[in-house]
Amino acid sequence: MHTTYFPVLPLQLVTNYNSISLQLFDFADKYRGKYDSSITVAQKYYRSVSGYADELLWAAAWMYKATNNEYYLDYLGENGDALGGTGWAMTEFGWDVKYAGVQTLVAKFLMGGKAGSHAPVFGKYQEKAESFMCSCLGKSSQNVQKTPGGLIYKQRWNNLQFVTSASFLLTVYSDYLTSARRDLHCSSGPVAPSELLAFAKSQVDYILGDNPRATSYMVGYGNNYPQQVHHRGSSIVSVKVDPSFVSCRGGYATWFSRKASDPNLLTGAIVGGPDAYDNFADHRDNYEQTEPATYNNAPLLGILARLHGGQGGYNQLLPVEVHVAKPIAAQPKPYPVKETPFAAPVVIEQKPTTSWVANGKTYYRYSAMVTNKSGKTIKNLNLSVSKLYGPLWGLTKSPSGSYDFPTWVSSLPAGKSMEFVYIHAASPAQVSLSSYTLA
């Protein structure tokens, strides 16, 4: 599992985006303050307890990753101490307190050879990142609390947000360590990278039902999952079932307050989860435990994607970000536009979108567009991809070695295109059409 996938965008659009992002960062750094001091109504719901310092470092880390601009790397090095990045040893990671995420990302820069003169400061970031990992594993002098069933526990109100976010950091750091060929160093001794991934998996397994209650905390998954989610839309019957008008007050009085199962299943939502003793009360008004949130689900998707990848080699230090400030290196030869011999009804076009040098080898990121030129919908698409020497995203590999639609795509409508990308240190792979059906 490689780093975040950046879609192919027109150069002018990417340049404008980076310019706007730089202006926003400069504005935030110049006019420092907590957002809820300006938007005071937010203090009732999403109060900024940690302040703004972690957000500035968090933004700088991601700006460097997205743009490769040394300004942001210098910012992390020069402000790490003053803004708390090198000082705070955390036992949580969430929407308010982002230090553990900053420290993990900066540790990646360090292990990837990006620190330069900031290596001593970045080393302090890494010490704190590893302190977080060790505390989650129970191998530190200051460990996170766990329930009797083994779940990370921070607080009663929506505890699973901390579980999924911490498990995500453990997952990516496991791959960082693997690619750097080193272990995690805890006060109890060295820890193999595989142990971090195994612990993250145990947290996912708990969420999905491997727990003392045998309850899945993902709505719609398994045989025993929350039936009364604290969610207005889920508590009201679907318009497809009953198109009658439901007013705001009526939705609350008639539907939300009912003591009955949700008529509109919020499939895939992760609720707040159990308390410190693995107990869970499935009631709609029990918002601390039954309320879903996007920040519960988002980190979980990353973990599931990595677990789906199995135990293959993953080099998380391989830079796959798009560097728009530098021209693409000399193209590998030959570099023709690749088209399938079946020009109709399917056309396949490839082009490199960026390149970089790592360990003396030039890597290329290729974008391949598959376009349906027919007047009908294509189903059961099957592609042959040969002379591929690196990872590929956006297709599903079949047992026979060919490639099918990704799991989230079942067909390609007429006139539409889909993209897949791959990385390797060679000329474009040979992509051809094996079979398809027209609907």
Side-chain angles (χ1 to χ4, degrees):
M1 181 67 56
H2 286 267
T3 49
T4 306
Y5 163 58
F6 288 84
V8 179
L9 298 172
L11 180 59
Q12 185 62 44
L13 180 59
V14 175
T15 303
N16 290 342
Y17 171 80
N18 285 335
S19 176
I20 294 171
S21 298
L22 191 150
Q23 293 176 43
L24 287 173
F25 181 86
D26 287 347
F27 179 87
D29 192 33
K30 182 178 180 179
Y31 301 101
R32 296 182 178 185
K34 298 195 297 183
Y35 87 102
D36 60 4
S37 296
S38 299
I39 310 173
T40 55
V41 68
Q43 295 178 8
K44 298 179 180 179
Y45 309 101
Y46 290 94
R47 188 180 186 88
S48 177
V49 177
S50 67
Y52 58 81
D54 54 333
E55 271 81 16
L56 286 173
L57 294 174
W58 181 242
W62 279 107
M63 285 296 291
Y64 172 70
K65 185 164 177 56
T67 67
N68 208 37
N69 188 329
E70 296 288 331
Y71 169 81
Y72 299 107
L73 199 71
D74 293 339
Y75 188 95
L76 290 165
E78 295 166 3
N79 293 279
D81 293 340
L83 295 179
T86 61
W88 289 104
M90 307 306 302
T91 56
E92 68 174 274
F93 174 51
W95 62 264
D96 182 34
V97 186
K98 302 181 178 69
Y99 281 116
V102 175
Q103 292 155 355
T104 300
L105 199 50
V106 174
K108 176 183 179 179
F109 299 155
L110 177 64
M111 289 189 285
K114 301 288 187 68
S117 62
H118 300 299
V121 177
F122 282 20
K124 293 195 289 184
Y125 277 100
Q126 184 174 30
E127 288 176 6
K128 297 303 185 289
E130 300 213 340
S131 173
F132 175 82
M133 308 300 163
C134 294
S135 70
C136 291
L137 295 172
K139 297 179 180 293
S140 172
S141 58
Q142 185 183 5
N143 296 320
V144 301
Q145 181 182 349
K146 294 187 178 73
T147 69
L151 183 72
I152 290 175
Y153 187 80
K154 171 63 179 176
Q155 64 183 36
R156 178 179 172 86
W157 191 347
N158 194 5
N159 181 65
L160 287 186
Q161 64 175 303
F162 301 105
V163 178
T164 59
S165 57
S167 298
F168 178 81
L169 290 188
L170 286 158
T171 298
V172 296
Y173 202 69
S174 169
D175 282 348
Y176 296 169
L177 291 172
T178 298
S179 63
R181 295 180 175 83
R182 60 183 298 272
D183 290 336
L184 173 68
H185 297 291
C186 298
S187 58
S188 62
V191 179
S194 58
E195 191 168 339
L196 280 73
L197 185 61
F199 180 75
K201 181 179 180 298
S202 75
Q203 298 300 288
V204 173
D205 290 342
Y206 185 109
I207 292 171
L208 298 181
D210 186 9
N211 55 63
R213 286 178 50 87
T215 296
S216 166
Y217 294 104
M218 176 184 282
V219 178
Y221 183 85
N223 297 320
N224 182 25
Y225 54 83
Q227 301 289 329
Q228 295 188 33
V229 180
H230 185 82
H231 187 273
R232 290 289 292 271
S234 184
S235 68
I236 300 174
V237 67
S238 171
V239 68
K240 296 179 181 179
V241 176
D242 184 354
S244 301
F245 174 75
V246 178
S247 67
C248 184
R249 290 185 177 181
Y252 184 83
T254 305
W255 292 100
F256 190 79
S257 300
R258 292 168 66 245
K259 306 299 182 183
S261 298
D262 295 327
N264 198 6
L265 202 64
L266 197 64
T267 303
I270 302 296
V271 298
D275 65 13
Y277 304 98
D278 301 300
N279 297 315
F280 178 76
D282 188 10
H283 304 300
R284 193 169 294 113
D285 57 0
N286 179 20
Y287 57 86
E288 292 183 335
Q289 294 188 301
T290 64
E291 183 179 37
T294 54
Y295 45 78
N296 294 7
N297 279 75
L300 181 63
L301 292 177
I303 308 168
L304 292 174
R306 174 60 182 89
L307 293 176
H308 178 72
Q311 299 301 319
Y314 293 90
N315 190 346
Q316 283 275 12
L317 300 182
L318 187 65
V320 301
E321 59 267 4
V322 177
H323 302 328
V324 300
K326 296 181 180 180
I328 295 177
Q331 306 298 342
K333 298 186 180 301
Y335 170 51
V337 171
K338 306 280 288 184
E339 292 196 7
T340 173
F342 299 93
V346 178
V347 171
I348 302 170
E349 298 177 308
Q350 299 191 73
K351 64 179 180 180
T353 58
T354 190
S355 66
W356 61 90
V357 177
N359 298 324
K361 184 179 292 187
T362 301
Y363 290 87
Y364 301 89
R365 178 187 185 276
Y366 291 94
S367 165
M369 298 296 296
V370 181
T371 303
N372 180 1
K373 295 288 189 177
S374 75
K376 298 182 179 180
T377 297
I378 289 179
K379 293 188 175 182
N380 304 315
L381 180 71
N382 188 267
L383 299 174
S384 171
V385 183
S386 59
K387 295 187 178 180
L388 174 65
Y389 310 110
L392 180 150
W393 298 266
L395 295 175
T396 299
K397 192 170 185 178
S398 68
S400 65
S402 61
Y403 291 84
D404 304 325
F405 280 131
T407 55
W408 58 90
V409 175
S410 60
S411 63
L412 188 62
K416 298 296 184 179
S417 301
M418 74 173 193
E419 179 191 35
F420 66 91
V421 298
Y422 60 91
I423 293 171
H424 68 186
S427 298
Q430 294 185 358
V431 183
S432 60
L433 181 65
S434 296
S435 61
Y436 62 91
T437 58
L438 295 177

